[in-house]
Amino acid sequence: MWSRVSLVSDPPRAPEGYPVAHRATAGRRRHGIARVAARVATRVIARVIARVGVAVLAVTGSVGCAADPGYHGRTSASWIAQLGEADVDRRLEAIGALGQVLELQPNAPGVVDALVGALADTSDPTRVAAASALRRAARGGRRVRERLAADAVPALAGLLRDTAHAAVRTRAVDVLRDFGPALAGASAPLVREALDDPDAGVRRAAADGLGQLGDAAGPALEALARAATHDRDAQVRRAAVRALPRVRGPDRPGTAMRVTATLADALGDSVASVREAAAESLGALGPGAVGPGAVGREERGRRATGMGGTPVDPDARLRAVAVGDPSAAVRVAAVHALGLRGEPPGSPALRQALADPDVTVRREAAHARAALHRRGGSDPAPPEPSRVELCQWNPRQPGC
């Protein structure tokens, strides 16, 4: 028979002279006080242990963040040493491994220094691989980003001036774009410079990169607008048209209206894909928007000017394209843009689009009339998804 063992020692008994009832009451009172004291002590000890555990975890985490994860059982120093070998394949293997190290530990200045040095390699594949691996360091801390801005970005500028290899220049633009907002201030001027490259592929990558850099590419807005309407390659014009709504230019009168007028001019491009992109970009600007501040429909048409200085009404251009463009895809994009820009449901253009020979145009017109796409609008009984929406959900489906 096991006996109950108390964790708290029994209190001393009352003197013999006390009555029996008094001795029992005093014993219970002292025993209760001892229990409370034990509970308080237990809680205090638990809190101390918890705080010590948190401190240990914090120290362990800080050590782990500074540790070298290595790759494939080898340290980073071992892979860095391999960069000095004569065999190009071995150097490429080392760069790939160091890129994986940066994926796990972007705050690795030694690895960043080694990859920055590899940008000056005599082999084009090695330089391109080093540039691609450095993209992963952009997630690092302030010191690593400062190192990239001070050394990696100028080294990539050297790749951009490699006149013999367009693929190297294109990859350099892609890496500058992928450095993201953290290094956009240093990257944007170089990407803008690539917009004048003699190779169309480099210019297309530059236009797309400026769009992804966003507000940091504001000083390049004028060059981007010229590329949208004057570049000799249709793919470059299309990339520039798509980038324009994402770039906020200098805060000067007429800047936003210049963007709208440029997109309206692009609606007359000879290539259907450029016209389609122009309609989509006008829709992305929102209901009646040409920039900061609300401007009326008549005022927009009076103040927005095209490349030749003549007044341009972007909504009038969209209506003409919605009912008269030979490409069904362009008509769909124009009708979709009219809906986003707040075209009245009774508009003659939307009524005419309801009788379009193409079913996707008719469906998009029904969406626009139902105000389904307008910001803040609602439709209690929305029509079935339009082609634009279906393509946004699944770009690989037929017709996208």
Side-chain angles (χ1 to χ4, degrees):
M1 187 76 180
W2 294 96
S3 61
R4 184 174 62 85
V5 179
S6 175
L7 295 177
V8 181
S9 59
D10 292 334
R13 298 187 179 185
E16 290 296 331
Y18 269 54
V20 176
H22 287 267
R23 289 202 303 267
T25 302
R28 285 195 299 271
R29 184 181 296 114
R30 290 171 181 170
H31 195 69
I33 294 173
R35 281 184 178 179
V36 171
R39 289 175 183 173
V40 171
T42 302
R43 291 177 181 175
V44 171
I45 293 173
R47 289 180 181 178
V48 171
I49 292 175
R51 291 181 180 179
V52 171
V54 170
V56 170
L57 287 176
V59 172
T60 306
S62 63
V63 172
C65 289
D68 175 20
Y71 185 68
H72 271 199
R74 295 173 56 182
T75 63
S76 298
S78 173
W79 288 111
I80 291 173
Q82 187 172 319
L83 285 175
E85 298 186 10
D87 188 0
V88 174
D89 291 336
R90 293 276 293 170
R91 298 202 299 272
L92 287 173
E93 180 189 15
I95 290 173
L98 293 174
Q100 293 300 320
V101 171
L102 286 180
E103 184 70 28
L104 297 173
Q105 174 55 282
N107 293 305
V111 176
V112 173
D113 292 343
L115 291 174
V116 169
L119 291 174
D121 196 278
T122 56
S123 167
D124 290 334
T126 304
R127 291 188 292 167
V128 169
S132 299
L134 279 171
R135 289 184 293 189
R136 297 167 180 173
R139 298 181 293 107
R142 179 178 57 84
R143 292 184 179 180
V144 172
R145 294 197 301 271
E146 290 176 351
R147 177 77 169 92
L148 289 176
D151 296 308
V153 173
L156 288 170
L159 293 185
L160 282 174
R161 298 181 179 96
D162 185 344
T163 57
H165 305 92
V168 174
R169 302 197 300 274
T170 302
R171 183 56 63 90
V173 172
D174 291 340
V175 173
L176 288 169
R177 173 201 65 200
D178 292 341
F179 275 166
L183 296 172
S187 302
L190 295 177
V191 180
R192 156 64 188 92
E193 182 181 329
L195 203 58
D196 298 326
D197 194 275
D199 184 81
V202 179
R203 298 198 305 274
R204 181 169 63 250
D208 180 67
L210 289 171
Q212 295 196 34
L213 289 176
D215 292 351
L221 183 63
E222 192 70 22
L224 201 59
R226 285 197 303 271
T229 53
H230 285 72
D231 197 279
R232 57 185 178 274
D233 186 86
Q235 294 300 320
V236 177
R237 298 197 301 273
R238 181 174 181 268
V241 163
R242 287 184 175 276
L244 279 173
R246 294 180 283 174
V247 177
R248 184 184 297 275
D251 190 12
R252 294 196 301 265
T255 298
M257 279 166 278
R258 169 67 192 278
V259 171
T260 306
T262 300
L263 295 175
D265 284 345
L267 288 173
D269 197 277
S270 59
V271 178
S273 62
V274 180
R275 300 195 301 272
E276 181 181 7
E280 292 173 352
S281 294
L282 281 170
L285 292 178
V290 294
V295 183
R297 187 178 300 272
E298 295 79 6
E299 183 69 4
R300 291 201 310 273
R302 184 178 65 82
R303 294 174 61 187
T305 57
M307 301 298 295
T310 57
V312 172
D313 184 354
D315 295 322
R317 294 277 182 93
L318 279 172
R319 295 185 202 106
V321 169
V323 299
D325 197 277
S327 169
V330 178
R331 297 198 302 275
V332 168
V335 171
H336 184 73
L338 286 172
L340 287 173
R341 290 176 67 82
E343 185 75 2
S347 164
L350 293 182
R351 287 204 305 268
Q352 189 172 345
L354 284 174
D356 194 277
D358 189 274
V359 63
T360 55
V361 179
R362 299 196 300 270
R363 186 179 302 154
E364 201 65 45
H367 277 246
R369 286 170 60 88
L372 183 65
H373 301 303
R374 298 183 194 174
R375 297 180 184 179
S378 61
D379 184 11
E384 59 182 296
S386 66
R387 187 190 70 89
V388 172
E389 292 170 329
L390 291 174
C391 289
Q392 289 174 349
W393 297 333
N394 182 15
R396 295 185 177 181
Q397 70 175 350
C400 294

